[in-house]
Amino acid sequence: MPKSTKKKKDKAADFSKAKLKLGKGKQAPSNVVDTSFKARSIALPTQSIAADKDSDAPTTKRRLTFDALIAHLKHYNASTRRDAILGLRELLEAHPELINAHLTALVNSCVRIIGDEDASVRKALLSFFAWLFRQVPRDDIIPHSPVLLLFTTSAQTHIFPEIRIDAVRFLDVFLEYIPDVVTEGWTLSGSGSHGRRVLEGYLGILNAGTTFGEGGDTGPVQATSTASVVLSPASKLVVLRSLATFLNYAVSITGRTNDSAADPSSATFITPTWYFSSSFASTSAFDAFDALLRPLRSQITSDARPDVRTWHPECSDDMEEDFVGKFNLAQPSTTAWTVQDLDSVQTAIAALSSDGQSSANGLDPQVTAAAHIARTLHPTLVSTFLDCAPTVFSPSTSPPETELQMVLVVCRICRSLYGRILQDTAESGRNHGTAETDLQTMLSYLSPYFPFVINGQSARRDIKIEQAFQDLNLIFCELSSFLVLASQVDNKRPVVQRSKPRPTRSGRSVGSSDSPAIGARQIERVSQYIMQLLRGEVPTSGVQSLPRPITPQAYTSLLPTVWSLINGRQTDTNESSETLFSAVVEHAMKASSTSAVKRHTIDFLGRLTLLDLEPEYLGFFRCGQNQDKDAKLQEWILQLPKTMWELGGNHLPTTETIVRLLLRLSQRRSRLLDQTTRSSLRSRLVPYFTITHPSRGKVRGPFAKLPAGSSLRRLVLDLVATIQGRTPSKADTGDDGLVAAVAEAVRETPEESYIAGVIGLPQSA
C-alpha cells in the first residue's frame, strides 16, 4: 500500500507547476551550466618578461642574485631570512669583489635584523658579521659604525631578554674590529655618544644604575632599567665578559703602545713605568727619567741615514738647510688622514669641553667616569663573586667552567676600574677614598682563597683552568699593589731625614701599610707567590703540573706589585722585600737573551739602578745602602755585554736599551760602577768588537752585524769612549785590549773617523 501511494506522488510531481513567491527570483533549471569566472593578478617582479635580466650576474647554487638575497632579508618567514644570510655568505665567498661594491646596501639591510625575534636568524647574522669584518678593511667599516651601533644599542633595550644578550654578542664582534669607535665618548654623561649608549645598555641588562644623585658618588643610585629579569649564569657571563672587554679598551692603565720602540718579541706591550711616577717631585721629572732608556726607533736598517748635521763656518747659497732646528709642522705631510681622524667631530668637541671643565676642577674626566662606574658596579661585582666563589674554590670538586670564568671576569673589571682610579692617586696624589674602600672590601673576599689553586681531589689537569687560576693570582697581586702604591703617595717634598713617616695629602704616612686589607701577612703571601712564579715553581695544589716560564704579559703585570713591595719602608716586610728583590735579579740573570721577557727585565732593573741618580727622586729604594743588593746588581750589569754579544744584529731595540743603560750609569758615575766593575766591564766588551779565533785569527764580533752607518753604532762607540776615557793615555793602567778591539772593528768603516775624533785613535791610511 505505501509503495503505490509513493508512485502516485512521483508521477504528479513531474506535471506540477512550481508556485512563484513574491521577492524570489526565478529559479534556475536543474541542468543549467555555470559560466561565471573570477580573475586575479599574480605579481612576479623577479620573473617578469618585461624586466631585463643580467644573465652574467653572480648567483648562488639556488640561482639567487645579490639583489634577490637582499629582498629575502625582508621576508616574513624566518627560515627565508636565515637562508638569505647563508646565501649572502656563499655568494660573497665565491665573489669577494662584490663586498666593496655593495657594502653600503649590505650593511643597511643586515642591521635591521640585529633585533630579529627569531634566534636562528640572529645566530646566522652574528656568524656572518664575524666573517664579513675580517674581509673588509677597518677604514671601510668605520663609516657604517653609526648605523651598526644604533641598531645594536636599540637591541640592548629590547623587551625580550634573549635579544638583549645577542646584542651583547654583536658588540663583542664590534669591539674586536672597531673598539675605539664603540668606546668613544663613554665618559660624556648625557651626550648620546656611542660609548655612553653602549655602557648604559650594559648596566641596564645587569639592572645597575649609572646616574647619581646630588651627593655625587655617595648619593642614591637611580636605576636605568625597570626590568626585573634574572639572568642565567651563562647569560650573565656573556654580559660581564663583554663589559670587561669594553672597559679594557675604554680605560687605559698601563696602556697598549703605538711606540715604534716596541720589541716584536714582546708582543704589543712595552714595559709599564707609570708606578714610578709617585716617587718623583713633578711629572716633568718622571717623563725625563722615563725617556732615559727609551730606544729612538724599533728597527734600524742599513738604508736609514743618521740625523747628522755638518757645521759650516760661513753660510752659502749651496747649503741645503736654512735653520738648525727641526720644524715638523712646517714639513709637508706624507701620511693621509684616516676616516677615524675625521669621524665624530661633535664627540671630539664635547670631549674637549669636558676636558676643559675637568681641568678647571683638577679632575681627569676618565678617572671621574671610572669612579662612578666602579661605585655603581660594586654591589653587582661583590654579589657575583660571593655566589660563584664557593663552587669555584671547593676542595671536593673541580671548578665549573661558567662560575670560574665569572670570577675571572669580575676580577678583570676590578683591575680596569680601580687600576685607573688608583693610578691617578699615584700620579697626582688625589684621594679616592671611596674607591680604595671598595677595593679593600673586594680584596677581603678574595684574600682567604689566595693563592688560587685547584683543590679538587678528583680534578684533572686542564691547561685552561690552570691559566685561569694564574690570571686570578696575577690580578690579585695587581689589585694589592694599587692599594700599596696609593698608601705610599706623599706631598712630594724634598727628601729629608725624618724620624717619623712623611704625611701624604690624604693624611696617611708614606711607606706604611696600615690598612686592614693590605697587612704584613698579605704582603708576605704576595711576595712568596711572585718568587714562586719567577723561579718557575708551581703553587701547592692537588693537581700535579709541570712548571713553565713566565710570560711577558704576566711579568709586566707583576712589575707594579714588585715595585710597591721593594719601595716600602715597613719594617715588618723588610725581609720579604729583600728576598723578593733577590728573586727578581736572579730571574733577570737566568733569562736567556732570546727570551720574550728579557727586554722587560732590562727595562725594569735598569731603571732601578738609575733612580737614586735622579735629583727629584723621592722614593725609599736606593742603591748603595745595602751591600748585598749592590753586589747582585753589579753581577747583573756585568752580564749585559754577554747579552749584547748573543743578540748580535737581532732585537736591536734591546741592544740599544742596554747600551743606553751602561752609558747613563757611566756618565752619571753610579756607585755600582766602581773601579773593579768598570775594569771588568771593559774587558767583557772586547769580544763584542773583535774575537781571536785559534785558526782564523782576529774576527770581527757582533758589532759588525749592526746596520752600517746607523746611530746605534755611534751610540756603542760613545759608550766605549765614556768608560775608557778621553784618550788611551788617560785610561786605566790595566790593558784590557778594548781600544785595539774597537780600532780593528771600525777599520775601513764610516765610524773610523768618528771614533778617532772621540777617543783619539789614529786613522788608517
Side-chain angles (χ1 to χ4, degrees):
M1 189 70 184
K3 293 183 179 179
S4 59
T5 305
K6 182 178 180 182
K7 290 181 179 179
K8 292 180 181 179
K9 290 183 179 179
D10 293 340
K11 291 179 180 179
D14 293 337
F15 301 96
S16 63
K17 183 178 180 181
K19 296 181 180 179
L20 298 180
K21 295 183 179 180
L22 184 63
K24 301 290 183 178
K26 184 178 180 181
Q27 294 183 358
S30 59
N31 60 347
V32 69
V33 177
D34 186 7
T35 58
S36 64
F37 64 91
K38 296 180 180 179
R40 294 185 179 180
S41 62
I42 302 176
L44 298 174
T46 58
Q47 301 181 18
S48 175
I49 60 176
D52 295 333
K53 297 182 180 180
D54 187 3
S55 59
D56 297 332
T59 61
T60 62
K61 294 180 180 179
R62 300 175 60 185
R63 300 184 180 277
L64 295 176
T65 62
F66 178 84
D67 294 335
L69 293 172
I70 292 297
H72 285 183
L73 291 177
K74 304 176 183 179
H75 201 273
Y76 67 90
N77 188 280
S79 299
T80 304
R81 296 195 299 271
R82 182 196 59 203
D83 294 340
I85 298 174
L86 300 177
L88 283 172
R89 179 167 180 175
E90 175 191 345
L91 180 65
L92 297 179
E93 282 181 344
H95 303 278
E97 67 277 1
L98 297 177
I99 297 178
N100 292 331
H102 301 281
L103 184 60
T104 301
L106 180 64
V107 172
N108 290 339
S109 300
C110 289
V111 294
R112 301 181 184 278
I113 56 177
I114 289 179
D116 196 281
E117 295 185 1
D118 188 81
S120 62
V121 175
R122 298 193 303 270
K123 183 178 180 180
L125 182 63
L126 182 64
S127 177
F128 176 70
F129 272 168
W131 171 84
L132 178 65
F133 285 6
R134 291 194 299 267
Q135 318 301 322
V136 182
R138 179 177 177 275
D139 288 342
D140 293 344
I141 301 177
I142 291 176
H144 304 284
S145 59
V147 66
L148 287 170
L149 293 175
L150 176 63
F151 281 88
T152 306
T153 53
S154 176
Q156 276 185 293
T157 59
H158 201 276
I159 189 173
F160 295 133
E162 56 271 15
I163 296 181
R164 302 183 214 166
I165 303 302
D166 283 342
V168 173
R169 293 190 174 97
F170 281 102
L171 287 176
D172 290 337
V173 177
F174 302 154
L175 285 170
E176 183 179 356
Y177 296 98
I178 49 174
D180 48 350
V181 179
V182 178
T183 59
E184 68 175 357
W186 73 280
T187 61
L188 307 177
S189 178
S191 63
S193 57
H194 299 319
R196 195 65 187 183
R197 293 200 310 269
V198 171
L199 182 61
E200 291 177 353
Y202 282 129
L203 300 179
I205 297 175
L206 294 173
N207 293 328
T210 56
T211 308
F212 293 90
E214 298 178 356
D217 58 355
T218 60
V221 178
Q222 300 175 3
T224 59
S225 175
T226 57
S228 58
V229 177
V230 178
L231 298 176
S232 63
S235 299
K236 193 171 186 180
L237 176 60
V238 172
V239 180
L240 288 177
R241 181 181 291 168
S242 182
L243 177 60
T245 305
F246 178 88
L247 294 175
N248 183 40
Y249 285 111
V251 182
S252 58
I253 303 176
T254 57
R256 300 178 188 272
T257 180
N258 294 324
D259 189 2
S260 59
D263 195 342
S265 63
S266 301
T268 58
F269 294 92
I270 62 172
T271 308
T273 57
W274 61 266
Y275 43 86
F276 288 118
S277 60
S278 60
S279 300
F280 283 85
S282 62
T283 305
S284 59
F286 166 70
D287 293 338
F289 167 77
D290 189 31
L292 288 177
L293 302 182
R294 187 182 304 158
L296 295 180
R297 53 181 61 88
S298 59
Q299 297 293 336
I300 307 175
T301 61
S302 57
D303 299 334
R305 302 297 302 170
D307 188 12
V308 179
R309 301 177 182 274
T310 305
W311 181 81
H312 299 277
E314 296 182 0
C315 180
S316 62
D317 297 336
D318 298 334
M319 295 181 62
E320 298 180 357
E321 58 184 2
D322 298 330
F323 302 97
V324 177
K326 297 179 66 176
F327 304 94
N328 296 328
L329 294 179
Q331 298 177 356
S333 176
T334 58
T335 58
W337 286 3
T338 62
V339 178
Q340 178 62 21
D341 297 333
L342 304 175
D343 192 25
S344 302
V345 178
Q346 295 182 353
T347 303
I349 295 175
L352 291 175
S353 176
S354 177
D355 290 345
Q357 296 176 0
S358 301
S359 300
N361 299 330
L363 298 176
D364 187 350
Q366 191 179 86
V367 176
T368 303
H372 280 217
I373 300 301
R375 184 56 181 161
T376 302
L377 287 175
H378 180 69
T380 302
L381 299 178
V382 170
S383 61
T384 302
F385 176 79
L386 293 179
D387 291 341
C388 300
T391 57
V392 172
F393 305 112
S394 174
S396 58
T397 59
S398 299
E401 177 67 20
T402 302
E403 283 73 9
L404 176 59
Q405 293 299 323
M406 195 98 70
V407 171
L408 182 59
V409 167
V410 167
C411 293
R412 285 176 177 171
I413 294 175
C414 291
R415 178 179 59 182
S416 298
L417 293 175
Y418 295 113
R420 183 64 187 95
I421 298 168
L422 298 183
Q423 178 186 346
D424 179 71
T425 301
E427 292 176 346
S428 62
R430 298 187 186 93
N431 182 18
H432 298 282
T434 304
E436 294 182 29
T437 303
D438 292 343
L439 181 55
Q440 287 178 0
T441 303
M442 180 61 70
L443 286 178
S444 66
Y445 294 123
L446 289 167
S447 180
Y449 304 105
F450 181 80
F452 307 103
V453 294
I454 305 175
N455 295 320
Q457 298 177 357
S458 60
R460 298 180 180 179
R461 186 188 176 192
D462 190 341
I463 190 64
K464 294 183 179 179
I465 296 179
E466 291 181 6
Q467 185 62 42
F469 274 94
Q470 181 177 348
D471 292 343
L472 283 175
N473 288 317
L474 294 175
I475 294 175
F476 181 85
C477 294
E478 282 190 86
L479 296 177
S480 301
S481 68
F482 293 151
L483 283 180
V484 175
L485 288 172
S487 67
Q488 293 176 353
V489 176
D490 63 343
N491 54 8
K492 299 182 181 179
R493 291 179 288 186
V495 176
V496 181
Q497 296 296 333
R498 295 179 174 88
S499 58
K500 297 181 179 180
R502 293 172 292 180
T504 63
R505 295 175 180 173
S506 59
R508 296 170 298 189
S509 58
V510 177
S512 63
S513 300
D514 299 332
S515 60
I518 304 297
R521 176 57 181 166
Q522 182 171 338
I523 292 178
E524 183 179 356
R525 291 162 58 197
V526 171
S527 301
Q528 291 177 356
Y529 172 77
I530 295 176
M531 287 186 289
Q532 289 179 344
L533 197 60
L534 293 175
R535 293 168 181 169
E537 301 174 359
V538 180
T540 304
S541 63
V543 179
Q544 297 294 333
S545 58
L546 298 176
R548 54 175 181 255
I550 188 172
T551 61
Q553 291 79 7
Y555 186 84
T556 53
S557 64
L558 286 177
L559 292 182
T561 309
V562 174
W563 168 248
S564 65
L565 297 180
I566 67 176
N567 189 46
R569 202 172 63 172
Q570 188 175 5
T571 57
D572 297 339
T573 58
N574 283 341
E575 183 178 355
S576 61
S577 63
E578 293 178 1
T579 308
L580 175 61
F581 178 79
S582 301
V584 172
V585 179
E586 291 175 1
H587 170 265
M589 290 189 294
K590 291 180 180 179
S592 63
S593 302
T594 58
S595 174
V597 301
K598 189 65 175 180
R599 167 74 183 280
H600 301 300
T601 62
I602 297 172
D603 283 338
F604 180 68
L605 289 180
R607 284 178 168 82
L608 290 184
T609 59
L610 295 174
L611 279 173
D612 62 319
L613 304 178
E614 291 292 324
E616 297 189 46
Y617 171 66
L618 306 177
F620 296 123
F621 178 86
R622 294 181 180 274
C623 299
Q625 296 181 352
N626 189 306
Q627 295 182 356
D628 295 337
K629 289 183 179 180
D630 293 347
K632 292 183 180 297
L633 287 176
Q634 289 174 343
E635 183 181 358
W636 173 76
I637 291 173
L638 292 178
Q639 283 194 349
L640 294 179
K642 177 184 176 182
T643 304
M644 293 174 56
W645 192 91
E646 293 175 349
L647 291 175
N650 302 322
H651 305 291
L652 297 181
T654 305
T655 301
E656 184 177 352
T657 302
I658 296 175
V659 175
R660 289 186 178 277
L661 171 61
L662 297 177
L663 184 61
R664 301 301 182 221
L665 291 174
S666 181
Q667 289 174 339
R668 303 188 177 193
R669 300 180 180 181
S670 173
R671 302 174 185 177
L672 300 175
L673 290 185
D674 53 16
Q675 191 68 23
T676 305
T677 307
R678 184 184 292 266
S679 177
S680 179
L681 184 63
R682 287 200 304 265
S683 62
R684 297 189 181 205
L685 282 173
V686 172
Y688 188 71
F689 296 94
T690 306
I691 305 172
T692 303
H693 195 269
S695 58
R696 299 170 57 186
K698 289 187 177 181
V699 181
R700 292 187 177 182
F703 176 80
K705 298 180 181 180
L706 299 180
S710 64
S711 58
L712 181 55
R713 278 196 172 193
R714 299 199 174 198
L715 191 65
V716 176
L717 297 179
D718 290 340
L719 171 62
V720 174
T722 304
I723 66 174
Q724 182 68 25
R726 177 62 182 173
T727 59
S729 60
K730 294 183 180 180
D732 296 331
T733 56
D735 186 12
D736 46 30
L738 180 60
V739 177
V742 173
E744 179 66 23
V746 300
R747 185 167 53 86
E748 298 180 357
T749 63
E751 288 78 20
E752 184 178 10
S753 59
Y754 180 79
I755 193 63
V758 174
I759 255 182
L761 294 177
Q763 301 187 39
S764 59

